[in-house]
Coordinates of all heavy atoms in Angstrom, one line a residue:
T193 N 134.0 114.1 132.4 CA 133.7 112.7 132.8 C 132.9 112.8 134.0 O 132.9 113.7 134.8 CB 135.0 112.0 133.1 OG1 135.6 112.5 134.3 CG2 136.0 112.0 132.0
A253 N 137.6 101.8 134.7 CA 138.6 102.9 134.5 C 139.4 102.8 133.3 O 139.6 103.9 132.6 CB 139.4 102.9 135.8
K272 N 137.2 116.5 135.1 CA 137.2 115.1 135.5 C 136.4 115.0 136.8 O 136.9 114.9 137.9 CB 138.6 114.7 135.8 CG 139.5 114.5 134.6 CD 139.5 113.2 133.9 CE 139.3 111.9 134.5 NZ 138.5 111.2 135.2
A273 N 135.1 115.0 136.6 CA 134.2 114.9 137.7 C 133.8 113.4 138.1 O 133.2 113.1 139.1 CB 132.9 115.6 137.5
A274 N 134.4 112.5 137.3 CA 134.1 111.1 137.5 C 134.7 110.5 138.8 O 135.8 111.1 139.2 CB 134.5 110.2 136.3
A275 N 134.1 109.6 139.4 CA 134.7 108.9 140.6 C 135.2 107.6 140.1 O 134.5 106.6 139.9 CB 133.6 108.6 141.7
V276 N 136.6 107.6 139.9 CA 137.2 106.5 139.2 C 137.7 105.5 140.3 O 138.3 105.9 141.3 CB 138.5 107.0 138.4 CG1 139.1 105.9 137.7 CG2 138.1 108.1 137.5
A277 N 137.5 104.2 140.1 CA 137.9 103.3 141.1 C 139.4 103.2 141.0 O 140.1 103.2 140.0 CB 137.4 101.9 140.6
D278 N 140.0 103.3 142.2 CA 141.5 103.4 142.3 C 142.1 102.0 142.0 O 143.3 101.8 141.6 CB 141.9 103.8 143.6 CG 141.7 105.3 143.8 OD1 141.7 106.0 142.8 OD2 141.4 105.8 144.9
N305 N 144.6 100.9 139.4 CA 144.1 101.4 138.1 C 144.9 102.5 137.6 O 145.6 103.2 138.4 CB 142.7 101.9 138.2 CG 141.6 100.9 137.8 OD1 141.9 100.0 137.0 ND2 140.4 100.9 138.4
P306 N 144.9 102.8 136.3 CA 145.7 104.1 135.9 C 144.9 105.3 136.5 O 143.7 105.3 136.7 CB 145.5 104.0 134.4 CG 144.4 103.0 134.1 CD 144.3 102.1 135.2
D307 N 145.7 106.3 136.8 CA 145.1 107.6 137.2 C 144.8 108.4 136.0 O 145.9 108.9 135.4 CB 146.0 108.2 138.3 CG 145.3 109.4 138.9 OD1 144.7 110.2 138.2 OD2 145.4 109.6 140.2
I308 N 143.6 108.5 135.6 CA 143.4 109.2 134.3 C 143.7 110.7 134.4 O 144.3 111.2 133.5 CB 141.8 109.0 134.0 CG1 141.4 107.6 134.0 CG2 141.5 109.7 132.7 CD1 139.9 107.4 133.9
L309 N 143.4 111.4 135.5 CA 143.7 112.8 135.6 C 145.2 113.0 135.6 O 145.7 113.9 134.9 CB 143.1 113.3 136.9 CG 143.3 114.8 137.2 CD1 142.7 115.7 136.1 CD2 142.7 115.2 138.6
A310 N 145.9 112.2 136.3 CA 147.4 112.3 136.3 C 148.0 112.0 134.9 O 148.9 112.8 134.5 CB 148.0 111.3 137.4
I322 N 140.7 120.3 134.8 CA 140.1 120.5 136.1 C 139.7 119.2 136.8 O 139.1 118.3 136.2 CB 138.7 121.3 135.9 CG1 139.1 122.7 135.4 CG2 138.0 121.5 137.3 CD1 138.8 123.0 134.0
G323 N 140.3 119.0 137.9 CA 140.1 117.8 138.7 C 139.1 118.0 139.8 O 138.9 119.1 140.2
F324 N 138.7 116.9 140.4 CA 137.8 116.9 141.6 C 138.5 116.2 142.7 O 139.3 115.3 142.4 CB 136.4 116.3 141.3 CG 135.4 117.2 140.7 CD1 135.6 117.8 139.4 CD2 134.3 117.6 141.5 CE1 134.7 118.6 138.9 CE2 133.4 118.5 140.9 CZ 133.6 119.1 139.7
A325 N 138.1 116.5 143.9 CA 138.6 115.8 145.1 C 137.4 115.5 146.0 O 136.9 116.5 146.6 CB 139.7 116.5 145.8
A326 N 137.1 114.3 146.1 CA 136.0 113.9 147.0 C 136.6 113.5 148.3 O 137.3 112.5 148.3 CB 135.1 112.8 146.4
E327 N 136.4 114.3 149.3 CA 137.1 114.0 150.6 C 136.1 113.9 151.8 O 135.1 114.5 151.7 CB 138.2 115.1 150.9 CG 139.2 115.4 149.7 CD 140.1 114.2 149.5 OE1 140.1 113.2 150.3 OE2 140.9 114.3 148.5
K338 N 146.5 117.0 145.5 CA 146.1 116.4 144.2 C 146.3 117.4 143.1 O 146.7 117.0 141.9 CB 144.7 116.0 144.2 CG 144.4 114.7 145.1 CD 143.0 114.3 145.3 CE 142.9 113.2 146.3 NZ 141.5 112.9 146.7
K342 N 148.8 115.9 140.2 CA 148.3 115.5 139.0 C 148.3 116.6 137.9 O 147.8 116.5 136.8 CB 146.8 115.1 139.2 CG 146.6 114.1 140.3 CD 145.2 113.5 140.3 CE 145.0 112.5 141.5 NZ 144.0 111.5 141.3
L347 N 141.4 122.4 141.1 CA 140.9 121.2 141.8 C 139.7 121.7 142.5 O 139.7 122.7 143.3 CB 142.0 120.8 142.7 CG 142.2 119.3 142.9 CD1 141.0 118.6 143.5 CD2 142.6 118.6 141.5
Ligands
CTP165 N1 141.0 110.2 139.2 C1 141.3 109.7 138.0 N2 141.7 108.3 137.9 C2 141.9 107.6 139.1 C3 141.5 108.2 140.3 C4 141.1 109.5 140.3 O1 141.2 110.3 137.0 N3 142.3 106.4 139.0 C5 140.6 111.6 139.2 C6 139.2 111.9 139.6 O2 138.3 111.9 138.5 C7 139.2 113.3 140.3 C8 140.6 113.3 140.9 O3 141.4 112.3 140.2 O4 139.2 114.3 139.3 C9 140.6 112.9 142.3 O5 140.0 111.7 142.6 P1 139.8 111.2 144.1 O6 139.1 109.9 144.1 O7 139.3 112.3 144.9 O8 141.3 111.0 144.5 P2 142.3 109.9 144.3 O9 143.4 110.4 143.3 O10 141.7 108.6 143.9 O11 143.0 109.7 145.7 P3 142.5 109.1 147.1 O12 141.5 108.0 146.7 O13 143.7 108.7 147.8 O14 141.8 110.2 147.8

Side-chain angles (χ1 to χ4, degrees):
T193 69
K272 287 274 321 67
V276 184
D278 289 329
N305 262 332
D307 188 315
I308 305 171
L309 180 61
I322 295 109
F324 272 68
E327 308 291 354
K338 286 174 190 174
K342 305 193 186 202
L347 221 293

